[in-house]
Amino acid sequence: MSGKLADLTPEMIAAERERFPRVFSMTMKARATHFVLWVGTPCLVLYCLDRFGFFSEKFWGSFGRLGIMFSQMFPPTGWEYMDEYTYAIGETLSMAFIGSLVGGIIALPFAFMASKNMMPVRPVQFSFRRFADVLRASDYLIWGLIFVRAMGLGPIPGIMAIIVIDTGILITLYSEAIENIDRKPIDGIKASGGGRLEVIRFGVIPQVLPVLLSNALYMFESNTRAATILGIVGAGGIGFLLSDNIRAFEFSNACTIIIMIIIVVYGIDYLSKRLRERFIYGDRVSQGHDRPMERVMAKMKD
Amino acid sequence: MNSEAATQTQQLDIADHFELARSEYLGRKRLYMVFFWIGFAISLALAVWHSGFSIAAVVDGLPRTSEFIVRMYSALTIENFYADLIDWFWGFEDWLASLFVSLLMAFLATIIGTTFGGILSFYASRNLAKNYAIYFVTRRTLEIARTVPDIVWALIFIYPFGVGPVAGILALTIHTTGAQGKLFAEVNENIDHKPIDGIRSVGGNWFEEIRFAVVPQVMPNFISYTFWRLALNVQAATVMGFVGAGGIGYELINAVKLLYFLDTGAILLMIICTVFAIDMASEKLRHYIIGKETLVG
């Protein structure tokens, strides 16, 4: 029995195949799953494409109009309305800022109620989690629409919509951060006679604060994106001007606004990245430290 | 004797240096903190002033909002539960059909967008792109596709493609391409390079490197991100109808605009249940596919 590959005879290979079938080929079940996926998905895609008319003359004929529209977009115009646009951009940023701040603060007490290690009564903890899920299940625009209907047009309903969604998402993210803390500092404070509030202040907050702050900052980025579109339902910000201009076929003005949106979103992303590096993680910025961040990023709506 | 004294002064010097550097560092940090809080206070004041935000307005508006929400869900009575339910969901079949359109939109956009995004991501990763120009152009294109919100793409596409799901699908597809391309590129940039060297050493070209060295490494992450993106797209597809780009959003915005409270409540309930279900299913599948420990998120 030497280990050389050349010494293997077909009989030996056959014997091994008999013994370890799964090393040599996929099981029938895996094959069936692959078949269903690789045949079923394209069929479903083709069905959808056909159903929505992607194979029709009308669809392919529309690309001419698309080209005309894009050619009308450039060069961007509307510089004479720049005051109006900057004002609306400022409104967008204000909405995102206030909404993120208030949402980030409101979510904090709820997050403690929604984390397993801080809230021993399981039904209460569970219902707080589900409450957060309900808040974030509808889109920004849906909440914006409801608030606009109830409170009237303007940035305040937009801020309310941002607060609601921000709170919903942050309750979940915060409580996950709280659940992942180290128990030892808490035990230490309890052992030296600390009460419930002292446990939270000195045992929990120092551990979770960097994670909480960076989650809140990520939400600020996400909220800025949302605040640019909330105006479509009348909830303040640049979205109203954008949809108005597009509906009036003023594509070149719309292009200016879109460029402004891109710049603002980039600016906020950059600012939040710098803030995170400088103030939250300080000089502890390292590869390993970004781990909680990746978890957050994966949860974020971009 | 002499050298001992020298060592001592040297040690003192080092200690002094350390103390000096530390106090400098702390002072700088404190200065940054002061700047930060001043900036924060100014931005908050500006934001409040600019948006006209006031606690009074919120306190005034909250009861009206809660009344709105209560009226959305006041259809059911205990005595006559079943009949009330039937009455409440009078348009159930139509709404279900629109919701199904939303789901198909999300599905189609996810599949097509992920395919494009996946292909482009190999050109948009610093370590795989053949040259800097390709990398730069692909990256910027993906960034623009991602930064422009999907509903804005929908607004743009409504003019050439007309009102209907096609505009919504294209909008979601473009946004998905950008978002997936960026996320996938980040995955690509974190791979192990040894398999690539292996393929190159036996004479593989660029496509073979990608196919046999990169794709097997990144596939689980790609699939995981795809399911997650599907859940997000379902949520986004429910509001595409707000601008006329197909799906349940059209029914919802009409019900809200006409102040049909009960219809709004019923449609919203259906949307929330669907988003919930898709969210949970996508999470389960992600865990099933790549295992809990390695899952990002």
Side-chain angles (χ1 to χ4, degrees), chain A residues 29 38 40-41 44-49 51-54 58-60 62-63 65-70 72-73 86-95 97-98 101-102 130 133-134 136-143 145-147 149-152 155-156 159-160 163 165 225 228-229 232-233 239 242-243 246-247 249 251 258 261-263 265-266 269 275 278-279 282-283 287 291 294-302, chain B residues 25 29 32-33 35-36 40 43-48 50-54 57-58 60-62 64-66 68-69 72 97 100-101 104-105 107-108 111-112 139-140 143-144 146-153 155-163 165-166 169-170 175 179 182-183 186 225 228-229 232 235-236 238-239 242-243 252-253 256-259 264 268 271-272 275-276 279-280 283 286 288 293-297:
Chain A
K29 197 183 153 200
W38 284 109
T41 315
L44 194 54
V45 169
L46 284 178
Y47 163 72
C48 292
L49 286 175
R51 179 189 167 132
F52 293 126
F54 280 92
K58 185 171 166 282
F59 174 72
W60 294 105
S62 304
F63 278 93
R65 285 154 64 95
L66 186 70
I68 293 170
M69 199 185 81
F70 273 117
Q72 281 178 6
M73 273 184 149
T86 3
Y87 185 86
I89 284 275
E91 204 168 77
T92 295
L93 283 174
S94 310
M95 283 159 61
F97 187 61
I98 298 175
L101 184 67
V102 178
R130 290 294 86 80
D133 286 345
V134 171
R136 69 195 171 96
S138 4
D139 203 83
Y140 285 98
L141 284 179
I142 295 181
W143 279 111
L145 191 64
I146 291 175
F147 279 115
R149 224 41 195 154
M151 298 168 73
I156 294 180
I159 294 175
M160 299 296 289
I163 291 177
I165 302 249
R225 289 158 202 263
T228 58
I229 55 165
I232 292 174
V233 294
L242 179 63
S243 67
I246 292 179
R247 281 180 184 145
F249 305 124
F251 297 123
I258 290 174
I261 289 180
I262 292 176
I263 292 171
V265 169
Y266 270 133
D269 281 7
L275 281 177
R278 172 125 306 177
F279 292 103
D283 32 19
Q287 293 287 311
R291 191 69 196 136
E294 277 171 32
R295 286 176 53 80
V296 176
M297 270 179 66
K299 294 235 160 178
M300 299 285 310
K301 331 161 140 209
D302 45 335
Chain B
Y25 168 73
K29 210 170 172 186
Y32 280 140
M33 262 348 244
F35 277 138
F36 171 75
F40 186 83
S43 352
L44 184 61
L46 269 178
V48 170
H50 196 89
S51 63
F53 183 75
S54 69
V58 174
D60 181 49
L62 273 182
R64 275 186 281 161
T65 313
S66 48
F68 193 102
I69 292 173
M72 273 157 52
F100 186 62
V101 169
L104 289 186
M105 283 164 64
F107 169 77
L108 204 53
I111 296 278
I112 300 174
R139 253 288 152 97
R140 294 294 97 79
E143 267 170 5
I144 289 175
R146 187 177 63 101
T147 310
V148 177
D150 39 18
I151 201 130
V152 174
W153 284 119
L155 276 171
I156 293 175
F157 286 134
I158 277 181
Y159 168 71
F161 294 101
V163 170
V166 172
I169 292 167
L170 290 175
H175 188 76
K182 190 217 167 213
L183 284 175
E186 269 164 22
Y225 278 133
W228 171 59
R229 177 63 48 187
L232 288 186
Q235 202 174 6
T238 57
V239 295
F242 281 20
V243 296
L252 182 66
I253 199 167
V256 175
K257 274 189 177 156
L258 298 171
L259 289 178
T264 312
L268 209 52
I271 290 178
I272 289 177
V275 171
F276 256 26
D279 214 26
M280 277 177 190
E283 188 116 354
R286 296 174 65 201
Y288 173 74
E293 315 84 75
T294 46
L295 186 67
V296 176

Side-chain angles (χ1 to χ4, degrees), chain A residues 188-204:
Chain A
I189 287 155
K190 274 189 187 152
S192 48
R196 213 177 152 63
L197 277 177
E198 278 151 323
V199 165
I200 290 177
R201 168 65 188 84
F202 297 104
V204 182

Side-chain angles (χ1 to χ4, degrees), chain B:
Chain B
M1 191 72 186
N2 211 2
S3 70
E4 204 175 287
T7 320
Q8 217 162 19
T9 45
Q10 208 183 352
Q11 270 175 354
L12 263 181
D13 278 352
I14 291 169
D16 282 346
H17 271 299
F18 174 76
E19 286 298 332
L20 201 69
R22 184 164 181 276
S23 69
E24 219 169 66
Y25 168 73
L26 285 180
R28 206 165 51 227
K29 210 170 172 186
R30 210 169 297 135
L31 196 68
Y32 280 140
M33 262 348 244
V34 168
F35 277 138
F36 171 75
W37 283 111
I38 291 174
F40 186 83
I42 291 174
S43 352
L44 184 61
L46 269 178
V48 170
W49 171 75
H50 196 89
S51 63
F53 183 75
S54 69
I55 305 290
V58 174
V59 171
D60 181 49
L62 273 182
R64 275 186 281 161
T65 313
S66 48
E67 193 206 322
F68 193 102
I69 292 173
V70 166
R71 283 179 73 175
M72 273 157 52
Y73 293 105
S74 52
L76 301 177
T77 53
I78 295 171
E79 308 88 72
N80 203 4
F81 186 79
Y82 188 66
D84 279 343
L85 195 66
I86 297 288
D87 196 36
W88 188 25
F89 279 93
W90 63 273
F92 186 67
E93 276 168 33
D94 290 345
W95 298 335
L96 202 63
S98 315
L99 198 58
F100 186 62
V101 169
S102 281
L103 284 178
L104 289 186
M105 283 164 64
F107 169 77
L108 204 53
T110 311
I111 296 278
I112 300 174
T114 304
T115 312
F116 286 143
I119 294 168
L120 289 176
S121 77
F122 298 115
Y123 297 93
S125 355
R126 194 71 204 88
N127 52 344
L128 300 178
K130 270 183 260 180
N131 59 50
Y132 189 76
I134 292 180
Y135 162 79
F136 187 83
V137 170
T138 323
R139 253 288 152 97
R140 294 294 97 79
T141 314
L142 289 176
E143 267 170 5
I144 289 175
R146 187 177 63 101
T147 310
V148 177
D150 39 18
I151 201 130
V152 174
W153 284 119
L155 276 171
I156 293 175
F157 286 134
I158 277 181
Y159 168 71
F161 294 101
V163 170
V166 172
I169 292 167
L170 290 175
L172 285 173
T173 305
I174 289 200
H175 188 76
T176 306
T177 306
Q180 297 289 67
K182 190 217 167 213
L183 284 175
F184 287 3
E186 269 164 22
V187 174
N188 290 339
E189 281 170 1
N190 288 325
I191 55 162
D192 183 5
H193 276 246
K194 290 187 209 88
I196 299 183
D197 295 340
I199 300 288
R200 196 173 294 164
S201 69
V202 294
N205 60 22
W206 190 77
F207 291 100
E208 284 157 349
E209 277 170 31
I210 298 291
R211 168 64 188 86
F212 296 108
V214 181
V215 170
Q217 289 190 61
V218 295
M219 213 51 197
N221 270 317
F222 278 22
I223 294 174
S224 160
Y225 278 133
T226 306
F227 281 118
W228 171 59
R229 177 63 48 187
L230 180 68
L232 288 186
N233 274 348
V234 168
Q235 202 174 6
T238 57
V239 295
M240 278 297 155
F242 281 20
V243 296
I248 186 89
Y250 180 70
E251 317 264 351
L252 182 66
I253 199 167
N254 271 349
V256 175
K257 274 189 177 156
L258 298 171
L259 289 178
Y260 292 160
F261 293 101
L262 296 178
D263 289 11
T264 312
I267 296 170
L268 209 52
L269 195 65
M270 286 171 71
I271 290 178
I272 289 177
C273 290
T274 312
V275 171
F276 256 26
I278 299 284
D279 214 26
M280 277 177 190
S282 117
E283 188 116 354
K284 281 268 148 56
L285 280 168
R286 296 174 65 201
H287 284 285
Y288 173 74
I289 283 172
I290 71 172
K292 219 163 179 167
E293 315 84 75
T294 46
L295 186 67
V296 176

Side-chain angles (χ1 to χ4, degrees), chain A:
Chain A
M1 279 297 272
S2 75
K4 277 186 189 160
L5 213 56
D7 292 343
L8 285 175
T9 58
E11 291 79 47
M12 283 164 76
I13 294 174
E16 291 302 309
R17 185 190 281 272
E18 199 72 20
R19 275 178 69 197
F20 306 107
R22 287 174 64 184
V23 176
F24 286 89
S25 65
M26 289 196 298
T27 59
M28 273 320 281
K29 197 183 153 200
R31 272 189 203 179
T33 320
H34 275 232
F35 182 77
V36 168
L37 278 179
W38 284 109
V39 176
T41 315
C43 285
L44 194 54
V45 169
L46 284 178
Y47 163 72
C48 292
L49 286 175
D50 186 51
R51 179 189 167 132
F52 293 126
F54 280 92
F55 298 126
S56 63
E57 294 273 313
K58 185 171 166 282
F59 174 72
W60 294 105
S62 304
F63 278 93
R65 285 154 64 95
L66 186 70
I68 293 170
M69 199 185 81
F70 273 117
S71 66
Q72 281 178 6
M73 273 184 149
F74 294 97
T77 57
W79 307 105
E80 63 270 27
Y81 306 115
M82 214 43 181
D83 290 350
E84 215 180 314
Y85 296 165
T86 3
Y87 185 86
I89 284 275
E91 204 168 77
T92 295
L93 283 174
S94 310
M95 283 159 61
F97 187 61
I98 298 175
S100 313
L101 184 67
V102 178
I105 293 169
I106 293 179
L108 200 55
F110 287 107
F112 278 96
M113 305 295 267
S115 49
K116 282 185 189 132
N117 49 353
M118 292 291 126
M119 186 71 220
V121 190
R122 205 38 36 92
V124 176
Q125 182 264 334
F126 185 77
S127 49
F128 270 102
R129 274 285 171 93
R130 290 294 86 80
F131 169 67
D133 286 345
V134 171
L135 290 189
R136 69 195 171 96
S138 4
D139 203 83
Y140 285 98
L141 284 179
I142 295 181
W143 279 111
L145 191 64
I146 291 175
F147 279 115
V148 164
R149 224 41 195 154
M151 298 168 73
L153 296 169
I156 294 180
I159 294 175
M160 299 296 289
I162 291 176
I163 291 177
V164 169
I165 302 249
D166 193 59
T167 309
I169 295 178
L170 282 181
I171 290 175
T172 316
L173 293 179
Y174 281 1
S175 58
E176 269 169 21
I178 294 170
E179 278 171 10
N180 285 332
I181 58 167
D182 188 4
R183 270 215 70 83
K184 290 185 209 89
I186 296 177
D187 292 339
I189 287 155
K190 274 189 187 152
S192 48
R196 213 177 152 63
L197 277 177
E198 278 151 323
V199 165
I200 290 177
R201 168 65 188 84
F202 297 104
V204 182
I205 295 282
Q207 286 193 57
V208 295
L209 197 61
V211 184
L212 302 196
L213 284 178
S214 63
N215 285 358
L217 264 179
Y218 269 119
M219 281 314 292
F220 179 47
E221 290 172 35
S222 166
N223 289 339
T224 311
R225 289 158 202 263
T228 58
I229 55 165
L230 271 166
I232 292 174
V233 294
I238 189 86
F240 173 70
L241 287 176
L242 179 63
S243 67
D244 213 36
N245 272 308
I246 292 179
R247 281 180 184 145
F249 305 124
E250 297 279 359
F251 297 123
S252 50
N253 289 1
C255 187
T256 315
I257 297 176
I258 290 174
I259 290 170
M260 286 174 80
I261 289 180
I262 292 176
I263 292 171
V264 164
V265 169
Y266 270 133
I268 293 294
D269 281 7
Y270 178 76
L271 181 77
S272 115
K273 198 175 128 208
R274 289 306 300 272
L275 281 177
R276 202 160 21 240
E277 281 167 5
R278 172 125 306 177
F279 292 103
I280 299 177
Y281 286 102
D283 32 19
R284 283 180 292 152
V285 173
S286 69
Q287 293 287 311
H289 225 91
D290 293 339
R291 191 69 196 136
M293 224 102 318
E294 277 171 32
R295 286 176 53 80
V296 176
M297 270 179 66
K299 294 235 160 178
M300 299 285 310
K301 331 161 140 209
D302 45 335

